[in-house]
Amino acid sequence: MSLTATGLKFRYPSGPLLLDGLDLEVASGCSAVVMAPSGVGKSTLLAVLGGLRRPESGTVTIARDGADINHGVEQTESATMISWVFQAMHLLPQRTALENVAVAAMPRGLRRSQAEQLAAIELERFTVGELARRQVRTLSGGQCQRVALARASVADPCVVFADEPTANLDPANAAAVARVLVTGFPRAAVVIATHDPDVAAMADVAYRLDGGRLVPVPR
Amino acid sequence: MRRRSRSATPSRAGWYVADLVEEAGRRLRVRDLIVAAVCAALAAGIVLLNGLDLQRAIASNRDQLAAGVTVFSVEPEDPQTKGLDPRACARMTRSSSVLAAGAVKGEAVSVDARWSPSGVPVVVWDLTPEALRVWWPDMPAAGGLFAGHDLGQQIGLAPGVSVEIDGRLVEIEAVLPETVRPATWQATVVRTVPAVGRGGWECWFRVGHGGIASAPEIAATAFPGDRYTLRPFFRTDELSVSPMTLLRDGPGPWSWMAALSIAVVLQLIVSLTGRAEAGVYRATGTRLSELWFMSLVRTVMIGAGATALGAMAAAVWLALQPANVISAAGLWYALQPVVLFATGLLVVLPALDTLSVAGSVADRLTA
């Protein structure tokens, strides 16, 4: 399983070309980091790779079934192959950690009880199992991001996109979350957009987004 | 780390309906309760507006009926030389539109009539019992002599008092109720007489509300060879408003639309403030149709439920008012706009909620 992007071009209406023939390939079990200063287009790249935005040209292919997620596949279909970890986490604040994770499993045809069993396993895996019954608004930023990682994992995705996942965390929590992120999805391709060099150091490969293309960062 | 097998998670299958219903319940927030409270208030307002409007229309209808808006008189063009056949007049009731019909003498009777023993002279008016029933459906069946209400007030004529008519004493049977509107009758003594001959008779009849327009046809059928003038007893003028006009121009036709507009604006605000949450569901694979279903369940639970409660509360309040004149059927009329309002809620609010998260999920989550 892998994520392959070829010749991606994208610009916002009347804006400059943010992606200019960009290519990327990430094998499952591998992690790739995309670094760039704010405003260059890291989040936009992830949105295009994840099918949330449609490119002017180019293709994105997830190799589970060869589906081209930008051409002809419904957005929510791609959502079952893709999980997201956002900078803002986007958890449901008045729900428990367990419910937040289970919500991502139920669209896959699981009963709530089954989904909550899986959610409990994932929360344990991301070391926040004891927080399962607590409302996420009572959790710290690091704990919330681990819940978000568990939510990303419960769907058993082919690809995980993480957009600045450590930006709101203190250095200790950021390092812990980054470590979990690059090791916690052994069956998925993980793409992380960040400007944190420590996160880049943990990933299998790192790129710099420059002039609409990815340039490898020497390790 | 332990890792479950990929096959443990089914591929794309969607939510179970029962879980969607439960999830809709778990997603309820204070903002939804505000929407519910507003819907309840709007529904109550609709019922009260329409109920009070209906009360006005019923009162107007009752006043116009009492004033004789459905009563017509058929007068021969030359009552001195020619009258109408009183039996033909009575036969008018064969028409389903005619509630009562009877003949009345066109002028007071030339008799010597005095209140005995005071000797005060009184005027006597002859009419058939059927004619009196046009105004007084519950009149004594045997007919007799009746004192006009005004006359009774003025000189003290009352049931049991005798009037001497052409030297013969006749007891007053009753005083005419005030609902008998012809002023000349109320100022005289009314005597029911058999329908004999045709000299001097004119014909009065009362139709149902829907029969007003057919009055000319009814009269023409009853008196095909006669020349006559048909007059409504009470003619509404340009300034008088009919009960139907009151209802048509009242709040009924637009109140539910105005209320729905308010609910839609409120829901729009609620939906827009909750887009990020809905975006989470979308980003984790929930279909738009499933989000719509959750919104529908929430609208049923909150919007429609609160609407029903508000409407019922207002209906009960209306029914318990001491001056209430609205029947059960009338209450149903007042509730009809609420049914439209609730239907509109069920159609519009879930669609609006779903549309607010349609399109790119990225705009809601990657900011």
Side-chain angles (χ1 to χ4, degrees):
Chain A
M1 299 192 193
S2 62
L3 168 75
T4 306
T6 310
L8 290 181
K9 286 190 176 183
F10 179 86
R11 81 177 84 212
Y12 289 103
S14 70
L17 203 58
L18 286 178
L19 308 180
D20 186 8
L22 182 145
D23 299 321
L24 174 66
E25 181 163 2
V26 184
S28 70
C30 292
S31 53
V33 161
V34 177
M35 300 181 70
S38 296
V40 171
K42 299 189 300 292
S43 296
T44 301
L45 170 60
L46 261 55
V48 173
L49 290 172
L52 302 184
R53 296 195 186 280
R54 191 174 291 275
E56 282 181 16
S57 63
T59 58
V60 179
T61 304
I62 295 173
R64 174 189 274 184
D65 51 9
D68 173 353
I69 63 171
N70 283 310
H71 294 93
V73 179
E74 187 194 352
Q75 192 173 48
T76 50
E77 289 295 338
S78 67
T80 64
M81 296 185 280
I82 296 167
S83 286
W84 291 87
V85 180
F86 302 101
Q87 176 182 350
M89 298 169 211
H90 289 304
L91 296 173
L92 306 172
Q94 298 183 352
R95 309 288 289 277
T96 65
L98 189 73
E99 287 175 310
N100 266 278
V101 177
V103 154
M106 284 187 279
R108 277 81 179 167
L110 293 181
R111 290 276 188 197
R112 184 177 294 277
S113 57
Q114 295 172 303
E116 289 187 349
Q117 282 176 7
L118 279 181
I121 292 170
E122 294 300 332
L123 287 169
E124 284 289 341
R125 213 161 68 79
F126 288 92
T127 69
V128 283
E130 75 280 7
L131 307 175
R133 300 290 173 187
R134 281 179 54 182
Q135 288 194 336
V136 294
R137 65 181 172 181
T138 67
L139 304 182
S140 69
Q143 290 168 331
C144 281
Q145 198 58 293
R146 287 165 185 270
V147 172
L149 288 170
R151 182 180 66 186
S153 178
V154 78
D156 197 15
C158 296
V159 182
V160 176
F161 293 110
D163 188 7
E164 299 282 10
T166 61
N168 292 339
L169 305 179
D170 60 72
N173 265 315
V177 165
R179 196 173 305 113
V180 169
L181 182 57
V182 297
T183 61
F185 298 90
R187 295 169 60 85
V190 178
V191 182
I192 306 165
T194 183
H195 55 256
D196 184 345
D198 293 337
V199 176
M202 293 182 202
D204 296 312
V205 59
Y207 298 97
R208 191 176 72 252
L209 182 58
D210 189 0
R213 293 174 179 244
L214 292 176
V215 178
V217 176
R219 311 298 293 269
Chain B
M1 288 188 187
R2 286 180 294 123
R3 186 72 193 165
R4 60 193 160 79
S5 71
R6 195 174 289 279
S7 60
T9 307
S11 59
R12 182 73 182 147
W15 287 71
Y16 281 91
V17 172
D19 287 332
L20 273 177
V21 172
E22 185 180 345
E23 190 69 13
R26 291 186 184 204
R27 288 180 66 192
L28 292 178
R29 296 285 175 270
V30 172
R31 60 181 182 234
D32 298 304
L33 297 180
I34 292 171
V35 173
V38 171
C39 285
L42 289 171
I46 292 171
V47 172
L48 291 178
L49 269 178
N50 286 279
L52 295 174
D53 200 49
L54 185 61
Q55 279 190 341
R56 277 196 297 274
I58 290 172
S60 167
N61 183 51
R62 189 182 52 200
D63 291 348
Q64 290 196 355
L65 283 177
V69 75
T70 57
V71 174
F72 292 85
S73 64
V74 187
E75 299 166 16
E77 289 202 343
D78 185 0
Q80 296 302 320
T81 58
K82 189 182 177 188
L84 296 171
D85 180 357
R87 289 174 297 276
C89 179
R91 282 197 296 271
M92 278 183 165
T93 54
R94 292 178 183 175
S95 164
S96 60
S97 301
V98 179
L99 303 178
V104 179
K105 285 292 184 182
E107 291 186 349
V109 186
S110 299
V111 292
D112 181 21
R114 294 174 186 280
W115 177 19
S116 177
S118 71
V120 176
V122 294
V123 176
V124 176
W125 209 284
D126 281 351
L127 41 72
T128 62
E130 291 81 8
L132 194 50
R133 268 191 205 103
V134 169
W135 292 100
W136 189 12
D138 301 326
M139 63 167 282
L145 195 65
F146 301 93
H149 185 267
D150 297 346
L151 186 64
Q153 293 274 309
Q154 284 169 8
I155 64 174
L157 278 181
V161 170
S162 295
V163 174
E164 185 180 335
I165 302 175
D166 286 341
R168 193 167 63 88
L169 284 177
V170 184
E171 257 190 23
I172 296 288
E173 191 73 27
V175 175
L176 294 180
E178 287 180 280
T179 53
V180 176
R181 287 305 173 103
T184 48
W185 298 4
Q186 293 290 14
T188 62
V189 170
V190 169
R191 181 172 65 175
T192 60
V193 295
V196 177
R198 58 183 293 160
W201 288 108
E202 55 185 56
C203 178
W204 289 47
F205 64 100
R206 180 186 288 275
V207 295
H209 234 307
I212 292 176
S214 58
E217 186 185 333
I218 292 168
T221 305
F223 307 107
D226 293 289
R227 293 178 61 202
Y228 59 81
T229 303
L230 177 71
R231 297 182 202 280
F233 179 78
F234 176 82
R235 192 187 301 274
T236 55
D237 58 27
E238 291 173 355
L239 296 177
S240 60
V241 181
S242 74
M244 287 306 294
T245 306
L246 273 176
L247 289 179
R248 192 177 59 240
D249 296 345
W254 55 262
S255 60
W256 69 273
M257 283 186 273
L260 185 61
S261 302
I262 294 170
V264 163
V265 169
L266 184 63
Q267 180 61 52
L268 195 60
I269 295 169
V270 167
S271 295
L272 291 178
T273 55
R275 288 175 88 203
E277 179 184 312
V280 170
Y281 284 90
R282 286 270 281 145
T284 52
T286 300
R287 296 184 180 105
L288 272 180
S289 59
E290 291 166 336
L291 280 172
W292 171 83
F293 184 77
M294 274 197 270
S295 295
L296 179 67
V297 171
R298 185 177 56 190
T299 305
V300 170
M301 287 193 291
I302 290 294
T307 296
L309 283 176
M312 278 192 289
V316 168
W317 185 84
L318 272 177
L320 293 180
Q321 291 306 298
N324 176 51
V325 293
I326 304 177
S327 64
L331 275 179
W332 172 237
Y333 172 86
L335 285 169
Q336 280 178 348
V338 178
V339 175
L340 291 170
F341 172 65
T343 307
L345 288 181
L346 291 175
V347 171
V348 176
L349 296 200
L352 200 64
D353 201 32
T354 308
L355 285 175
S356 72
V357 292
S360 174
V361 184
D363 292 332
R364 286 171 283 287
L365 297 179
T366 58

